[in-house]
Amino acid sequence: MSLSLRARARRRVRPPAAVLRAIRLNNGFQLLFNLLWWMPVFYQYQKQAGLSDSQIFGIQSVYYVAFCLLEIPTGFIADRIGQRRCMQLGAAVMTAANLLPVFSPSFAGFMAHFLAIAAARSLVSGASSAYLYEYLHEHGGDAHYVQAEGTARALGLWAKITCWPLVGVLMHVRHEAPYVLTALSALGSLACAAALPAIAVPPFGDTRPAAERVGLLDSARQAVKVLGRSRSLGPLMVQGVAVFTLARICQVNLFQPLLLEKNLPVADHGAVLSAMTVAEAVGSARTGWLRSRLSDTTVVTVLSVVMALTLAATTLSGSLGTILWLCVFAAAAGLAYPVQRNLINAAIPPTPYRATLLSVESIIDRGVCALVALAVGAYLAADRLDTLLVHAAVGTCLLLLVVGVVLGRLRRDGPQPAGQP
């Protein structure tokens, strides 16, 4: 059967009832856990609480560092107590975190708020993807994983598009409303996580020797062994760096400088961000469009190149052209992310360290982002934004070329045996 026919058959099959229930609960969890009502106003909220710019951005720096430091320990926790329980713990921490600014609107309160959010997001980042993949695999729903990831991401984006325009009005009605609503949303995600069906204990879960159950270092060592034995996992993680870094740098670091470079008024930046979010949501919900024509590895490579080239294309465009290219960029990112998640999960052999390995990937992504952010600052300080965008496109294409060569050689060598430590 051709790739196209297999993809069409996969789309026509309705998921089993157990799989459908898990997917729907996961959709609710992802939507509510990531619905940060305060996102559009948190800077103003902290300014009104008396924080200075140096304090606000200092808290942000600590947040990103804490996120990286917590990734491995929280992945280890997920592998020990189970992904579902880790998701519940993350949702509970997120609920408490968003009440801290309400009761303590101070530098210490906001610092504790963001540190707790880093902990909550770290607990969930690897665990949620690992849970969904393993549950669907256990119940014969592997073919539905990519669409499930894409739909969950799309629903979360549509929720933000719907809710964020209301935040300003709600803040006038009740100053603390954005944080209270975020806490209530997190509480709803906790209810979804509590209702998720449990995964059966895998055969290796009861047979690991005691030496492998003693602590973090032993578990981390075993996860590294899995990474070393899976020949394709490392290259696929490197491939995913392109998608994550380009999306993060564009949407966080370059978004406003690029629009200001095109003389687009600050008042219009929110509308542009909404348009990009719509494009990303549409892309996330349409993952089958390209997968019916290309292999998953090729899909991620092609979309990463598209993302890089659209950023470079803005150097030759005016304000309207730049907005169009940014929407194409966002749509490509939305299409790529669920497929890349599936590639990574499929490359991990049967192991009790899946969440830890996904946390390793997250650390790699954020570590590269931190280095690229430093380079972005240097380019912007030298007023060389256009040069930065061109260099980013060239660097991305070269990285993907190297990864493509490595993956091609692995395919020619034949399939690797599935192994576990």
Side-chain angles (χ1 to χ4, degrees):
M1 185 184 291
S2 68
L3 179 64
S4 178
L5 290 176
R6 285 199 305 270
R8 290 194 186 103
R10 181 171 56 214
R11 287 199 301 271
R12 285 196 296 267
V13 176
R14 181 178 174 82
V19 169
L20 192 60
R21 179 171 179 265
I23 289 174
R24 287 172 175 170
L25 286 170
N26 179 71
N27 289 345
F29 176 85
Q30 295 292 346
L31 188 158
L32 294 169
F33 183 84
N34 294 298
L35 185 56
L36 306 179
W37 288 78
W38 46 260
M39 182 64 76
V41 296
F42 80 96
Y43 175 80
Q44 180 186 5
Y45 194 97
Q46 291 178 81
K47 291 289 284 186
Q48 292 177 351
L51 274 66
S52 65
D53 283 340
S54 61
Q55 288 176 316
I56 293 172
F57 290 107
I59 291 173
Q60 291 298 298
S61 298
V62 172
Y63 166 76
Y64 284 116
V65 172
F67 203 118
C68 284
L69 293 177
L70 290 169
E71 276 289 354
I72 287 292
T74 52
F76 162 75
I77 291 172
D79 288 329
R80 281 300 182 89
I81 69 174
Q83 295 101 343
R84 187 173 61 111
R85 290 195 182 99
C86 200
M87 292 167 68
Q88 295 166 4
L89 180 59
V93 173
M94 180 66 85
T95 302
N98 286 288
L99 293 176
L100 289 172
V102 177
F103 296 106
S104 180
S106 61
F107 175 78
F110 283 111
M111 178 66 80
H113 162 69
F114 274 102
L115 287 175
I117 287 178
R121 293 180 70 85
S122 296
L123 284 165
V124 168
S125 64
S128 60
S129 181
Y131 168 83
L132 184 63
Y133 186 86
E134 291 193 356
Y135 186 86
L136 265 58
H137 177 73
E138 180 183 281
H139 290 80
D142 303 70
H144 303 285
Y145 172 77
V146 175
Q147 188 59 52
E149 282 274 20
T151 301
R153 186 172 177 82
L155 289 173
L157 293 169
W158 283 113
K160 292 173 183 177
I161 295 166
T162 303
C163 296
W164 279 352
L166 305 175
V167 174
V169 176
L170 291 171
M171 197 172 173
H172 281 295
V173 175
R174 184 73 179 179
H175 187 65
E176 303 87 358
Y179 288 93
V180 173
L181 288 171
T182 304
L184 290 174
S185 297
L187 189 61
S189 73
L190 176 58
C192 291
L196 285 170
I199 298 175
V201 178
F204 46 74
D206 293 325
T207 59
R208 283 183 293 163
E212 294 183 20
R213 301 198 300 265
V214 295
L216 173 61
L217 291 179
D218 287 311
S219 293
R221 190 179 300 114
Q222 296 302 325
V224 170
K225 287 182 180 180
V226 175
L227 179 60
R229 292 181 182 180
S230 177
R231 295 180 299 167
S232 62
L233 183 55
L236 289 173
M237 284 184 175
V238 174
Q239 182 191 48
V241 165
V243 175
F244 186 90
T245 304
L246 286 172
R248 177 69 57 163
I249 293 300
C250 174
Q251 294 170 348
V252 177
N253 299 95
L254 289 180
F255 175 71
Q256 284 198 302
L258 182 56
L259 295 185
L260 292 172
E261 177 81 8
K262 304 300 180 180
N263 297 315
L264 202 71
V266 175
D268 295 335
H269 290 190
V272 176
L273 184 58
S274 294
M276 290 177 64
T277 307
V278 169
E280 186 176 352
V282 171
S284 294
R286 298 290 183 271
T287 55
W289 178 61
L290 279 176
R291 295 186 76 220
S292 65
R293 296 164 175 82
L294 302 170
S295 69
D296 283 359
T297 306
T298 304
V299 166
V300 175
T301 299
V302 169
L303 291 173
S304 299
V305 171
V306 169
M307 291 168 68
L309 294 181
T310 50
L311 283 183
T314 62
T315 63
L316 305 175
S317 305
S319 57
L320 291 179
T322 296
I323 294 171
L324 175 62
W325 287 123
L326 287 176
C327 288
V328 174
F329 175 94
L335 283 164
Y337 183 80
V339 181
Q340 193 269 335
R341 288 285 81 202
N342 181 63
L343 276 173
I344 295 295
N345 271 298
I348 299 175
T351 174
Y353 307 106
R354 180 176 298 274
T356 301
L357 286 164
L358 291 175
S359 293
V360 169
E361 185 208 12
S362 182
I363 288 176
I364 294 172
D365 289 340
R366 284 169 173 79
V368 173
C369 277
L371 295 175
V372 172
L374 291 175
V376 169
Y379 274 95
L380 292 179
D383 196 23
R384 300 177 62 198
L385 177 58
D386 286 354
T387 305
L388 166 65
L389 297 174
V390 173
H391 286 177
V394 173
T396 299
C397 291
L398 289 176
L399 174 67
L400 294 171
L401 177 62
V402 172
V403 172
V405 170
V406 172
L407 291 174
R409 287 184 176 178
L410 291 176
R411 282 193 294 269
R412 286 195 298 271
D413 291 342
Q416 60 172 325
Q420 62 186 72

